[in-house]
Amino acid sequence: MCIRDSYVPADLVQPRVALAVSGEAELLNRTTAAAAERMFAAAAAAGVTMTLASGYRSYATQTATYNGYVSARGQAAADTASARPGYSEHQTGWAFDIGDGGGACSFQPCFAEQPAAVWAKANAYRFGFVVRYPLMLHPITGYYYESWHLRYIGVEAATDMKKRGIGTLEEYFGLKAAPGYP
Ligand SMILES: [Zn+2]
């Protein structure tokens, strides 16, 4: 789903959590920020270090990132590594990536085995979050497993998905599997 290129959430704020970024990427919309603060605090209370690795991403930043991949590796490779401009959930302020303060596995497949990801997979729903791109469900979501990428949908919906064992928002909301780019 493409977001209008001019769309900027009106209520971007910096959550009071451990930050592993600066600039626009430390921002989330107000609802997501408040839920993130509750989740990060609960993780810390469970002895799990969690950092905000990337939040809001403007259309301009998406364009620069995507074009960088295209010039380095070509468009086909770029499309597997980066959302096209206007297609990133990060532009909405409702999604963010977590880190664990270490960094060796940040944004890598091995992050899935780190305590922050293991804890988030088991507990994020209690704060209204889903792991948006689960393992092996890329034919439905259009993205390979991102154990670090969380999306806010509210406690009620996230809990319902968990209870019913539904892995993707596409299935939960009855949407078509992610189509290719137009
Ligand atoms: Zn992400």
Side-chain angles (χ1 to χ4, degrees):
M1 191 187 311
C2 188
I3 303 156
R4 269 192 315 133
D5 58 4
S6 58
Y7 177 73
V8 178
D11 59 347
L12 290 173
V13 295
Q14 184 191 99
R16 285 159 301 192
V17 301
L19 298 171
V21 279
S22 59
E24 68 176 29
E26 66 190 22
L27 303 175
L28 300 170
N29 72 37
R30 193 173 295 281
T31 303
T32 305
E37 287 171 359
R38 289 191 287 274
M39 182 178 73
F40 279 58
V48 173
T49 302
M50 192 177 279
T51 60
L52 176 61
S54 188
Y56 172 66
R57 197 170 302 155
S58 66
Y59 188 86
T61 298
Q62 294 172 61
T63 302
T65 303
Y66 181 77
N67 289 347
Y69 277 111
V70 171
S71 52
R73 305 190 209 164
Q75 184 164 13
D79 281 337
T80 68
S82 172
R84 287 193 190 174
Y87 287 84
S88 172
E89 279 193 348
H90 287 265
Q91 192 180 338
T92 68
W94 293 110
F96 59 88
D97 302 321
I98 58 169
D100 64 359
C105 283
S106 291
F107 301 103
Q108 302 296 322
C110 61
F111 189 71
E113 282 85 55
Q114 304 305 307
V118 171
W119 188 91
K121 188 178 177 186
N123 295 284
Y125 76 95
R126 297 197 283 121
F127 306 90
F129 294 102
V130 293
V131 177
R132 178 68 180 91
Y133 306 119
L135 184 65
M136 301 307 286
L137 296 178
H138 57 272
I140 299 171
T141 64
Y143 286 82
Y144 286 97
Y145 187 27
E146 292 193 357
S147 61
W148 53 87
H149 181 101
L150 304 182
R151 155 82 176 267
Y152 184 81
I153 61 168
V155 173
E156 196 178 328
T159 302
D160 190 39
M161 273 180 75
K162 182 89 173 174
K163 266 196 212 146
R164 293 161 60 187
I166 297 173
T168 68
L169 292 189
E170 284 80 4
E171 294 164 292
Y172 188 63
F173 292 123
L175 305 173
K176 276 193 240 164
Y181 290 110

